Amino acid sequence: MIALSLRPSQRRWQTITFPSTLYLFPILDLLLQEVPSHLYWDMRLGLQEALVNAAKHGNSLDPSKLIEVKFAKQRQTYVWMIADQGQGFCPPVSCHWPAQPSPCPEHRQECGRGIFILFQVFDEVAWFNEGKELRLTKYLTD
């Protein structure tokens, strides 16, 4: 399902909702239609890692649970908002050395390979709603 909506900022948001799956090729193709060719493969790797995390770790590959991706481009900025229906998690503050302590000492969430890739590919990586929503931002530079 694809839904279009306009926000007051005139940013055009598109939404894709799909059941938890690891078959992500057509979804990635839709999400990356407007990305410049010099960024395409990095963005594809980053978005694939984010969607795999949502499906596998968030929704436990339960096909009855959905993943929702909202995405938009405004001027020189691309934004993807990815939400799953899982239990959430306590995300790391960053994946840069030296490691930042987790804000949730009871979880001591470490930065895995997928999260490390997100911090390398995107300019901003932020979680919301107890780790069930992820915002990825990429700024284009001239």
Side-chain angles (χ1 to χ4, degrees), residues 32 39-49 80 96 113-125 136-139:
L32 294 163
L39 295 174
Y40 182 84
W41 291 108
D42 285 347
M43 298 294 99
R44 188 172 186 98
L45 175 63
L47 284 172
Q48 181 175 347
E49 288 295 335
W80 295 270
H96 302 288
R113 176 185 165 272
I115 295 174
F116 177 79
I117 289 171
L118 296 181
F119 279 101
Q120 298 305 306
V121 169
F122 297 100
D123 297 314
E124 292 180 14
V125 178
L136 301 169
T137 306
K138 183 68 175 179
Y139 300 109

Side-chain angles (χ1 to χ4, degrees), residues 16-54:
I16 299 175
T17 304
F18 57 95
S20 296
T21 182
L22 295 180
Y23 181 67
L24 299 168
F25 292 114
I27 295 160
L28 290 166
D29 289 343
L30 285 170
L31 295 175
L32 294 163
Q33 282 181 333
E34 295 183 29
V35 171
S37 59
H38 70 282
L39 295 174
Y40 182 84
W41 291 108
D42 285 347
M43 298 294 99
R44 188 172 186 98
L45 175 63
L47 284 172
Q48 181 175 347
E49 288 295 335
L51 294 175
V52 165
N53 283 349

Side-chain angles (χ1 to χ4, degrees), residues 68-96:
E68 179 182 82
V69 183
K70 294 179 182 178
F71 57 105
K73 177 184 182 258
Q74 183 180 19
R75 295 188 183 118
Q76 298 295 95
T77 305
Y78 290 89
V79 180
W80 295 270
M81 296 286 297
I82 300 168
D84 62 55
Q85 295 178 322
Q87 298 297 313
F89 82 116
C90 184
V93 175
S94 73
C95 282
H96 302 288

